[in-house]
Amino acid sequence: MAEPEFTATGVRIEKRLRSLTRAGQVRIRDGRVQLLTSYGSEIDSAPVQTVRASKPWFAADDRALADLNGKRYTLTLGDHDPAPGEGGPPAARRFIEAVRRAAGRGG
């Protein structure tokens, strides 16, 4: 089994104003983006080529937007990468770059 191309844990996942999980997971693996609850249940997933990831204009640096299957999710990741050996989600910027790289759109 191949290693995931990107994994973030401890991610707050919201859809509109509704919080779906406060400690979820975001994975890019085998050409798919997956949003998971803290228990590993799938919230949504889509082929990476169809996912749009972006940075909201007027939001904190730890936020990213992800459009999967016509639904927009707000992801609250870290505002900076954690120190080596330290827990915590990676920066939102890294998620956006990982989606673009995995979809072949550059990074």
Side-chain angles (χ1 to χ4, degrees), residues 18-91:
R18 181 173 167 233
S19 176
L20 302 175
T21 183
R22 291 183 356 191
Q25 299 175 33
V26 176
R27 285 191 198 151
I28 300 174
R29 179 182 9 201
D30 299 328
R32 292 189 70 79
V33 175
Q34 297 177 303
L35 304 180
L36 307 169
T37 67
S38 56
Y39 298 106
S41 301
E42 188 173 283
I43 295 170
D44 204 348
S45 72
V48 73
Q49 291 83 4
T50 66
V51 174
R52 284 187 33 223
S54 60
K55 178 87 180 83
W57 280 19
F58 299 106
D61 286 340
D62 62 350
R63 299 266 175 122
L65 297 176
D67 291 336
L68 282 78
N69 301 318
K71 299 176 207 130
R72 177 168 286 181
Y73 297 93
T74 302
L75 310 175
T76 304
L77 296 107
D79 55 357
H80 62 281
D81 289 326
E86 195 174 297

